[in-house]
Amino acid sequence: MVRSLGQEAYFADRLGRQDTGHGLLLVAWDGQEAVGDVYVWLAPAEEPELRTHLPGVALLTHLEVVPWRRKQGIGTELLWAAEDRLSALGHDRIALGVGLDNGDAQRLYLRLGYAEWPYGQVATTEVVYHPDGRRELRPERCRIMVRRLAASDEPPARGGGRSPPVR
């Protein structure tokens, strides 16, 4: 995983959180090569606005696809896999923050049924993991987008792509 996605410290942290029940790390694979990932944050949100307006709602964080595999449906498959896992766990909503300068991601989320919440932008902290293991904290303003998850008896309205499996 680290060979193709890098960020060894990030993945060590997220796998540790997953081991303690605070989240789920989902990875898209093409054979033996990791081509994308998303982390589902199950612990209480770090931002007070999210804890107030979305208590107990899982957050999608760190959705990424390797540059040479973008625009092939992998990010969408990762989102669907996260939504499916959360529905199975009894969650009825999911939320995420998207940087103000990330128009491509905002369009993707809108297309997939996410809606911007009515409480305005939120100040968050982006954590940048450097190859040497350093972590850099950068302030970031985000739009918060929320999606209601389908009830378990409703089939999801999804296309039939041929993306790599997500585990």
Side-chain angles (χ1 to χ4, degrees):
M1 182 169 56
V2 172
R3 184 172 30 89
S4 57
L5 297 170
Q7 307 170 87
E8 183 174 1
Y10 170 78
F11 287 113
D13 177 74
R14 290 311 186 250
L15 289 169
R17 289 176 186 269
Q18 178 174 276
D19 287 346
T20 61
H22 291 115
L24 300 169
L25 177 65
L26 302 177
V27 181
W29 295 90
D30 186 1
Q32 297 297 310
E33 180 181 28
V35 293
D37 69 275
V38 66
Y39 183 74
V40 182
W41 186 278
L42 297 173
E46 294 176 327
E47 298 82 3
E49 300 94 331
L50 297 178
R51 288 193 308 272
T52 297
H53 298 294
L54 295 172
V57 173
L59 304 171
L60 290 183
T61 66
H62 195 85
L63 175 65
E64 69 174 332
V65 175
V66 293
W68 58 92
R69 293 298 305 270
R70 291 183 182 152
K71 303 208 183 288
Q72 296 178 21
I74 296 169
T76 301
E77 290 290 336
L78 283 162
L79 286 172
W80 287 342
E83 290 175 2
D84 289 347
R85 300 272 172 94
L86 288 169
S87 287
L89 292 172
H91 290 261
D92 64 351
R93 290 182 297 169
I94 191 169
L96 56 86
V98 61
L100 302 181
D101 61 346
N102 195 344
D104 287 343
Q106 291 173 36
R107 285 185 290 281
L108 169 67
Y109 300 134
L110 288 169
R111 191 177 80 241
L112 295 176
Y114 286 77
E116 190 168 346
W117 78 343
Y119 306 106
Q121 300 168 2
V122 172
T124 65
T125 302
E126 176 187 16
V127 181
V128 178
Y129 291 85
H130 294 281
D132 64 3
R134 283 183 310 116
R135 289 180 359 151
E136 179 184 353
L137 303 178
R138 296 180 184 165
E140 181 178 36
R141 294 208 57 83
C142 288
R143 286 184 165 80
I144 303 302
M145 303 184 82
V146 182
R147 177 166 143 63
R148 187 156 301 280
L149 299 174
S152 59
D153 58 345
E154 292 178 36
R158 299 178 177 163
R162 294 181 46 109
S163 294
V166 175
R167 299 187 287 254

